């Protein structure tokens, strides 16, 4: 897990910045809710849980995480399907984007899927960097990217769908795709 990691290189400063931003967030929630202690306690619980997860994940070498690309992708799809099957709308507004998770409470899986898609797409593009300009690769890539986008759009959550779509296209562009494909796509869209 640590792969010869030296603790002196750990980004404690970044962790401190995250903590400061979260304290500001807690103070903002305290002020906005008029001192509602239950809301503040929920936020602090989320911060502590998030920091524990961040610290644990930060010690795992990124190659070990990218080796799990298809498992992460599968988890993302299962999370999005669970919204379609078990999701609810907290405000009753019609958009079903949330699921209830034991212990944690309500969760919006599309936010988790954003991070999962970054890991999956970057690992996929990294493993197939020499194939980026092939039509067969681009078709497979389009299917891999389209499935989560379609599932998020079915919630309906257009803003998150657009964010994931642009994120995936940006990663494809940065991976070194030929400008012929980029200019051809722009010409087609125009």
């Amino acid at each position: 897990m640590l792969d010869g990691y030296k603790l002196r290189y750990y980004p404690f400063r970044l962790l401190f910045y995250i903590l400061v931003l979260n304290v500001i967030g807690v103070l903002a929630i305290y002020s906005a809710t008029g001192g509602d202690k239950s809301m503040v306690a929920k936020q602090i619980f989320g911060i502590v849980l998030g920091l524990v997860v961040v610290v644990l994940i930060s010690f795992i070498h990124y190659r070990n995480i990218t080796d799990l690309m298809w498992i992460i992708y599968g988890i993302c799809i299962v999370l999005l399907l669970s919204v379609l099957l078990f999701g609810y709308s907290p405000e009753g507004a019609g958009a079903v984007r949330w699921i209830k998770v034991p212990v944690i409470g309500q969760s919006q899986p599309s936010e988790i899927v954003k991070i999962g898609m970054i890991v999956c797409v970057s690992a996929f593009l990294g493993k197939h960097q020499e194939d980026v300009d092939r039509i067969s690769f681009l078709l497979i890539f389009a299917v891999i990217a389209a499935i989560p986008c379609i599932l998020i759009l079915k919630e309906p959550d257009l803003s998150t769908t657009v964010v994931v779509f642009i994120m995936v296209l940006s990663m494809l562009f940065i991976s070194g795709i030929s400008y012929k494909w980029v200019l051809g796509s722009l010409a087609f869209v125009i």
Side-chain angles (χ1 to χ4, degrees):
M1 179 170 140
L2 294 178
D3 292 334
Y5 190 83
K6 295 190 180 5
L7 197 57
R8 68 179 177 186
Y9 297 123
Y10 192 81
F12 287 107
R13 182 193 276 175
L14 180 62
L15 207 56
F16 173 73
Y17 294 152
I18 291 169
L19 196 57
V20 168
L21 286 172
N22 278 300
V23 167
I24 293 169
V26 168
L27 292 174
I29 287 173
Y30 181 79
S31 174
T33 61
D36 184 2
K37 292 187 190 308
S38 67
M39 289 292 286
V40 171
K42 248 165 97 171
Q43 187 70 17
I44 291 172
F45 173 74
I47 290 169
V48 170
L49 182 67
L51 283 174
V52 168
V53 170
V54 163
V55 169
L56 289 176
I57 289 177
S58 68
F59 284 112
I60 301 172
H61 197 280
Y62 78 93
R63 285 193 188 107
N64 295 338
I65 294 172
T66 57
D67 288 342
L68 302 173
M69 153 179 94
W70 292 114
I71 294 171
I72 294 170
Y73 184 79
I75 290 169
C76 290
I77 300 303
V78 168
L79 284 172
L80 292 173
L81 287 172
S82 69
V83 171
L84 296 177
L85 298 173
F86 309 110
Y88 74 98
S89 176
E91 299 88 22
V96 179
R97 300 176 185 161
W98 299 83
I99 57 172
K100 289 194 180 195
V101 181
V103 179
I104 296 173
Q106 66 184 21
S107 174
Q108 189 175 7
S110 60
E111 296 301 320
I112 299 167
V113 169
K114 285 181 193 175
I115 298 166
M117 285 300 290
I118 290 171
V119 172
C120 295
V121 170
S122 62
F124 188 70
L125 289 171
K127 288 182 180 179
H128 300 282
Q129 193 168 9
E130 65 280 350
D131 300 326
V132 171
D133 288 327
R134 293 189 181 152
I135 187 82
S136 58
F137 171 80
L138 291 173
L139 290 172
I140 294 168
F141 182 80
V143 170
I144 290 170
I147 293 171
C149 287
I150 290 168
L151 290 173
I152 294 170
L153 192 59
K154 300 261 306 165
E155 293 179 5
D157 191 354
L158 182 61
S159 61
T160 304
T161 304
V162 170
V163 167
V164 171
F165 183 73
I166 290 174
M167 178 181 70
V168 166
L169 283 181
S170 300
M171 293 172 76
L172 181 63
F173 179 74
I174 291 169
S175 72
I177 191 167
S178 171
Y179 283 104
K180 290 185 233 173
W181 284 105
V182 175
L183 295 174
S185 300
L186 286 175
F188 177 76
V189 169
I190 291 171

